[in-house]
Amino acid sequence: MKKRLLAMLLAGAMCASLAACGSTSTGGDTAEGGETGSESSGEGYSIDVILKTTASEYWGYVKAGAEKYMADNPDVKVEVKGASSETAYDEQQNMIETDLNSGAYDAFVIAPLQADLVTTLIAGKEDPIIAVDTDIDAPEVLSFVGTGNEDAAAMGGKAAVEAAEAAGWTEIKAIAISGVQGDGTATARLTGYQKGIEEAGGTFLVDEIQYADAVADKAATSMEAIMQNHPEGIAIIVCNNDDMAMAAARAAKGNEAYANTVFVGFDGIQSACTAILNGEETMSVAQEAYDMGYKAVEAAVKALNGETLEEFIDSGCSVVTKDNAQERLDTLKSYLGE
């Protein structure tokens, strides 16, 4: 904010100088096509982006989107970092505390591992703060950029029931392998999955939710427990992310009772698209993580420029199946320059 104040003072001084010299200009510089030119969107701004982790494909797209904004706007510096995993709470807390107090940044984009804790950390901060992927319930947060997780998961739940019916299941029961218990995003996805499955006529087994901390190896262990408890098979397994869905499907491979089980992931990453094409995952609820990163930085710059933001900026979602997985895969590769 200090940088913005300095820029405003310098601009005022330049205007005064021009007036003293008897300038006869009646308007701004004119760009090609006759349009009035505009000032740079964020001259000298430095935006700090702190993600849940940078150690996964999904967060790699968020990072790429944030950095693409910097590439499109060279006068904005974007620094992206993240914890080593989605359970490295202390690591992210230290990042946030250090950066908030460093004086090195004009605005902050934060994807919280523990939203309640971040609410305390940012209390009283006047610099613009944007929440990305997971909302932060605090007056200091100007906007939340992300997926409407509940609605997106409901879309996936309904599609899963349709796929289960098409696969020949007559008793459509669903079990969720979720992320970190208590995490706001995981809770919203659970709520959405349950809503979509039940509205489509399936049964969501609330008492059998498995929590696997959003990691593949724990999801595989959870799937083994599910198979032990349900030797007859389960029609639908819905997961908090794609890594977990793929791990669950691998764990069930070779079990005839689960040969037609619908495995649903969330994120729509490259590896999921490949797995769907190879029949190793059934479908994924795709977030637009790249757009999420781009729009979050864009919102931070708009806030620094004095614009009023929407409280929620939806980055979009879709359901990826074998019919559209190749198109999605090609798009994701282009984001990373592959």
Side-chain angles (χ1 to χ4, degrees):
M1 295 299 284
K2 292 178 181 177
K3 293 178 182 177
R4 176 161 174 75
L5 178 58
L6 178 59
M8 292 171 65
L9 291 172
L10 289 173
M14 290 175 66
C15 290
S17 176
L18 288 171
C21 292
S23 172
T24 59
S25 173
T26 59
D29 295 333
T30 302
E32 289 186 19
E35 296 181 359
T36 300
S38 61
E39 293 183 46
S40 171
S41 62
E43 184 175 355
Y45 291 150
S46 182
I47 313 298
D48 189 31
V49 180
I50 303 176
L51 304 180
K52 292 185 179 182
T53 182
T54 53
S56 75
E57 185 184 324
Y58 169 78
W59 290 105
Y61 295 125
V62 181
K63 180 176 183 288
E67 292 175 342
K68 181 61 165 62
Y69 185 91
M70 179 170 58
D72 289 346
N73 301 271
D75 50 359
V76 177
K77 179 183 177 183
V78 178
E79 184 176 329
V80 185
K81 64 197 68 171
S84 56
S85 74
E86 291 197 33
T87 54
Y89 307 118
D90 292 343
E91 186 180 347
Q92 192 194 53
Q93 178 182 346
N94 289 337
M95 284 181 182
I96 295 171
E97 287 180 318
T98 298
D99 289 3
L100 286 174
N101 296 315
S102 69
Y105 306 101
D106 297 299
F108 300 87
V109 173
I110 302 174
L113 285 173
Q114 294 176 301
D116 290 344
L117 173 62
V118 175
T119 297
T120 301
L121 296 178
I122 65 177
K125 292 295 293 183
E126 296 182 358
D127 299 318
I129 297 174
I130 307 299
V132 65
D133 181 79
T134 299
D135 200 3
I136 304 168
D137 186 13
E140 292 80 6
V141 175
L142 302 181
S143 183
F144 165 50
V145 181
T147 305
N149 282 290
E150 185 174 329
D151 289 342
M155 182 192 306
K158 291 177 181 178
V161 171
E162 293 175 4
E165 290 173 342
W169 291 91
T170 55
E171 187 175 15
I172 300 178
K173 296 180 180 179
I175 294 178
I177 303 179
S178 189
V180 178
Q181 189 168 9
D183 173 74
T185 298
T187 300
R189 290 177 187 175
L190 280 174
T191 302
Y193 278 140
Q194 180 176 359
K195 178 181 178 181
I197 288 165
E198 291 180 347
E199 286 184 355
T203 301
F204 185 84
L205 302 181
V206 180
D207 295 335
E208 297 192 43
I209 296 171
Q210 300 276 329
Y211 290 96
D213 293 338
V215 294
D217 57 345
K218 292 185 179 181
T221 301
S222 295
M223 190 65 218
E224 290 169 359
I226 291 170
M227 290 187 291
Q228 184 174 357
N229 293 334
H230 293 275
E232 75 286 1
I234 288 290
I236 299 170
I237 301 294
V238 290
C239 298
N240 195 66
N241 62 34
D242 285 319
D243 289 339
M244 297 167 69
M246 289 183 285
R250 285 193 298 270
K253 188 175 181 179
N255 186 327
E256 287 300 319
Y258 287 80
N260 294 322
T261 294
V262 175
F263 289 92
V264 184
F266 205 111
D267 288 338
I269 58 178
Q270 280 190 47
S271 52
C273 293
T274 301
I276 290 169
L277 290 169
N278 293 337
E280 297 163 353
E281 182 181 351
T282 313
M283 63 181 62
S284 177
V285 182
Q287 300 193 81
E288 300 305 330
Y290 183 88
D291 291 342
M292 196 183 296
Y294 193 101
K295 290 181 178 181
V297 176
E298 181 180 55
V301 172
K302 286 182 177 180
L304 286 166
N305 286 335
E307 296 186 37
T308 300
L309 303 178
E310 297 289 335
E311 290 185 6
F312 172 54
I313 300 173
D314 193 342
S315 52
C317 66
S318 60
V319 176
V320 182
T321 65
K322 189 166 286 190
D323 292 336
N324 59 1
Q326 185 61 57
E327 180 182 359
R328 170 82 178 174
L329 181 59
D330 293 341
T331 299
L332 293 177
K333 287 182 177 181
S334 72
Y335 289 154
L336 301 180
E338 297 179 12

